Amino acid sequence: MNDIQTQEDLYKVVDDFYQKLLADDAISYIFTDVVKVKLEEHLPILVTFWSQSILGTGGYFNNLTQIHLDLNTKSYLSKELFEIWLNHFETAINENFQGINCERMKNQAHNLSTIMQIKIAKEKEEKL
């Protein structure tokens, strides 16, 4: 298996990842009922994010943290949801690619998950 090297590789991972998320009843409601994500619009944004992060291409300008904090106000993003998310993400990578960029991507996903959970907990604490 090859490492992730192109935006097309990233698209494969992200598309596969979302197919797994949408097939999982424990988390799919976030994307179908809460956000009502349009994959044809959302996937290119995610590819741009990961391309900037892993391939150094630039072009992602959204506030990832704020997007998830806003989502959390609509539907609580629990530790269990982050675990499901990470599991599907890693599986989508591992089934298609292997290499240093794959490991960097998985490590960054874990870091993002941890940061988001800390920020969600902090925001919840501030509201009490």
Side-chain angles (χ1 to χ4, degrees), residues 64-77:
L64 185 67
T65 302
Q66 193 60 54
I67 290 168
H68 287 85
L69 290 174
D70 292 346
L71 173 57
N72 184 65
T73 64
K74 296 176 185 174
S75 182
Y76 176 60
L77 300 177

Side-chain angles (χ1 to χ4, degrees), residues 4-28:
I4 294 170
Q5 299 175 0
T6 67
Q7 288 190 340
E8 290 78 21
D9 294 343
L10 290 168
Y11 190 90
K12 170 68 176 150
V13 168
V14 171
D15 185 51
D16 203 39
F17 168 57
Y18 266 81
Q19 297 312 313
K20 293 176 187 320
L21 287 175
L22 294 173
D24 186 334
D25 292 339
I27 197 169
S28 62

Side-chain angles (χ1 to χ4, degrees), residues 71-88:
L71 173 57
N72 184 65
T73 64
K74 296 176 185 174
S75 182
Y76 176 60
L77 300 177
S78 67
K79 180 179 189 223
E80 293 76 21
L81 288 174
F82 279 102
E83 289 170 357
I84 293 167
W85 181 89
L86 282 169
N87 180 54
H88 288 309

Side-chain angles (χ1 to χ4, degrees), residues 110-123:
H110 277 269
N111 292 341
L112 288 170
S113 172
T114 300
I115 290 166
M116 292 298 167
Q117 289 177 70
I118 290 168
K119 290 189 179 271
I120 286 168
K122 183 179 179 196
E123 192 171 80

Side-chain angles (χ1 to χ4, degrees), residues 83-96:
E83 289 170 357
I84 293 167
W85 181 89
L86 282 169
N87 180 54
H88 288 309
F89 191 75
E90 287 190 1
T91 300
I93 293 171
N94 292 338
E95 288 178 348
N96 295 287

